[in-house]
Structures are given as structure tokens and as C-alpha cells.
Amino acid sequence: MSLTRRDFARKSAGTGITLAGTAGLLSTASAYAYGAESREDAAARGQDHDDHGEHSKGHQRKTGYGPLIDDPKGLLALPAGFSYKVITHAGVTKLESGEFTPNKHDGTAAFEGTRGSTLLVTNHEIRDNRAAVDHPVPLTPGLVYDPAAPGGCTVVEISKDGRHVAEWVGLAGTQQNCAGGRSPWGTWLTCEENTARAGENGMTKDHGYVFEVDPYDRRANRDPKPVKALGRYDHEAVVVDTKRGHMYLTEDAADPNGLLYRWTPPHGFRHGRGKLRGLSDTAGVLEAFKCFDARGRFVDDLSRATTVGTVYGVDWVAVPDRDARTVPVRKQFTDSQVTRARKLEGMWWADGGAYIVSSFAREESPVQHDGQVWFYDPARRKLTLKLILGVNPDPSKDGALDGPDNITVSPYGGVILAEDGEGVQHLFGATDAGKTYPIARNELNDGTPESPSYSEFAGVVFSPDGRTLYASIQNPGILLAITGPWRHQG
């Protein structure tokens, strides 16, 4: 049943849901939060500290882990007490088959392996014709969708002690595999952010689909089949509602801006390993979202929200042609039919809903910003702005943050975001109390000393036991394991 604008306005009245500062919300943030020495740090040095900068009794835990320390190896700056290990490196490490690790690492999920090992499935956001690409995903027999396409994903197995690493192809012959998402039944959903058609740029098949990859059963990945029921568009990320079975999908596109989609399974369908492969191309219902504010007014673009705590009601509008045979899906709607957003990126399912990232908004959007994090509550059908980053005035300087992309919910509270902005690139956390803090900084300059350039971070995810944070530097393609004195960030 549709939640009408009038219903939403009536239910919202008097609740204070649009007020900033509501408990549990992330606040506007664009710079680090650690700042001055806390009482706790002073106490650790055997001294006391008061509110005026003098030393006295008491303590107050500091947000984050302190300033980042330059890496002598020029790869990854981390706080004191933290360390990293390179797991895979494009063009350096090799797969079980003897070929080099593919480049352009992106979305990643972690799974419990056997005997204490960890399995990682990593997307490789490689596009265009594979003949023009260094280190494409190898065309492993039986695992290829389109032999002309260079992307796909690999599976990495890391032993319990971290000393042994094995890597193999999970899927090959796809285009620009981006954020993706982990399924509740233990598989990886890899998303193509590219809608090249058969015959374009040498492609032999249409692209722009979601594929399922099983990290445990290599045989299940043979003869890849796209899940066409989820639509053909510039897919970014996907999450699954563990209670209702809906799937939510983001679209990273412009001209016009992309959409958030919901797929409702057909009656009687039950999710599980390999079940998506058996769906017909038109199974279920694919819809795009339409938002309205507490006064019942239609919201054309998510960039309109400039205050943390802003809440929108959500309706869903059926997609006319999900396979976009003649018109791209997002162009099948007028601007008054759906709500749009620039750079809809990573998602993560937790707390009974979906955390959703809009990476930035510029002149193509009504209001500019350098990143938003939203939370969609399907039970209440409400979308709440949790975090907004103001436009970074100078991305070349370390300090301010911009362009969040991949996201994970941290076992230590709040969320962890991978930066894909301009200039300096970070992994950073955001607490429920509204503070951001740095975790890592990419120090691998792939530009020149006079004009430095730093690749984005991607694929941020914790190990199943919460002790290791995995993340990648996309270019040239380096998967890292970060360990240290993790603690709750409240």
C-alpha cells in the first residue's frame, strides 16, 4: 500500500524528526575530530587534565585514534599502534592459475572460511575492451560472461595466521564491477556500472547487470548468468532486506542524476544460494524511489537536504522497462515522477535498514555538497540524513574530507567510509555522536612531485571477527589488511 504524502505529514507532526542533533544521528562533518589532548591521554602519561587545558583528575575518551603518521614506505599513513599488510597487488601477486592479480580493486565482502581462514570477494572496476587494459580479470574457462570485457571479481583466501594467501577468479568477462554487496545467505552480488551493449566497443553481450558469485563453491559460479530481474543500468551497490526479502540498489549516473531502486520478489519466492539465477528476466517488481517532506511536498533531488536529521517519506514508482531496451531506466521517468541524486554509491544493511551514500553534488544538482550518508528504514518507509559533508575548499590539503564512496558499519560503532574525492584520500570513521576521524591516508603518489595524485580507497570491510579492516587502493590495485588497537567510538 502506498504511503501518501498526507499520511507522512500526519505521522511526522510533532515528532521532531527533522531536527538536527537527534540521538543516534551523525552530524555535519568535514574535518577531523581528534584535536587536543584528552584527559585519558594525559592520565596515561601520569598527569591530570582539566577543562581549561590544565591538569586535573578525570578523563574523557578521545574520538578516533590520533593523528596519522607518515609511512616510510610511502604507501599508507596510519595512527600510532596500527600496521598494515599487502594482501594482493595488481601486476605483482599472482593467482593460483599463475596470472597476475587484476587491477582496479573495488567493492569487497568478507566471509568466514574453513579452519579460521577469511574469504574476501573483490570486484575489479575495469572497463572498455580488455585488449586495451593492463591486468584484466583472466578469462578462466567456464567463468566468463563476455570474453571481450575486462572486469569481474576474484576470491582471496587468507589463512588464520595471515601467512598464506590464495587468489582465484570468481567471475570474468563483465564491465566495471563496482561496489556490489554481500547477501545474507553468504554470496557476493557484483554490480556492473556500465551499460555497454553487444556490438559497442567490441562487446559480445549486453552489460549493466548484477551477477551472483559464491565464494565457497567454485562450481556454482560456472556459466555466469546475469540477474536481469534487477534491471539494466549503471549499478553501484546492492543490499538485501533480511526480513522482507526486498533488494535495494543504487545507480551511479548523471544527466540526469541516478536513482535508488527497490526490487520486490515474486510471491512465494525464497532467497537462497543460487536462487537468483533461476528467476525469469521479468520476475518481481522493480521500482524507483520518490520522496516527499513532512509537509507533503515532493523532493526532486536528495541534495535538497542540508540539515542532518532531515527525514523524507518514500514511495515507490514502477519501472516501465527494466532492461532499458530503448531508453535508459532513469530517463524513463520525468523529473516530477522520481527523486534523483548525484553519485549514489555504496550501501550497507544494518540496524534494520540500509545505509546509503551520495558521494557528492555539483552544478548538475540543486544544492552542492561533498557527501551525504542516508539511512532508509523500510518499516517506517522513511529516509533520514545521517551525515553531510560541506564542499571541501581545498582538497589538496590534508584535513577536510570529501567524496565518500564505499561504506561499512563498524563493529566498534558508527560507520567507516572510503574516500573517493579530490586530492588527498582517506579511510575515515563517523561516530553516531557526529564526529569524523581519520583511519588511513593513501600516500602512494601516482602523479608527479609537482602535481601529485592519489587514488581512491575502496572495498572497506571488517573481517568476520572484527579484528582486521580490509580496504584497497584502487589504482594500481592493492588490497590491504589493517590491524591495531580498535576500540569503541561513541
Side-chain angles (χ1 to χ4, degrees), residues 275-293:
K275 295 295 183 65
L276 293 174
R277 289 173 61 105
L279 289 169
S280 72
D281 294 350
T282 58
V285 179
L286 185 67
E287 300 164 297
F289 79 148
K290 182 176 185 178
C291 298
F292 48 92
D293 66 18

Side-chain angles (χ1 to χ4, degrees), residues 404-476:
D405 192 326
N406 287 181
I407 184 173
T408 188
V409 171
S410 171
Y412 303 97
V415 298
I416 308 296
L417 293 148
E419 199 174 7
D420 177 17
E422 300 293 332
V424 183
Q425 306 292 327
H426 305 87
L427 296 174
F428 68 96
T431 71
D432 290 337
K435 295 182 178 180
T436 58
Y437 57 93
I439 295 173
R441 180 178 64 245
N442 177 11
E443 295 196 324
L444 183 61
N445 180 8
D446 58 9
T448 65
E450 296 76 20
S451 181
S453 176
Y454 301 94
S455 174
E456 68 181 88
F457 278 106
V460 59
V461 64
F462 275 94
S463 60
D465 62 10
R467 296 179 181 178
T468 303
L469 180 67
Y470 295 102
S472 293
I473 296 174
Q474 188 176 81
N475 185 32

Side-chain angles (χ1 to χ4, degrees), residues 27 55 79 96 107 132 277-278 292 348 366 418 434:
S27 72
H55 298 296
E96 289 182 342
R277 289 173 61 105
F292 48 92
W348 193 269

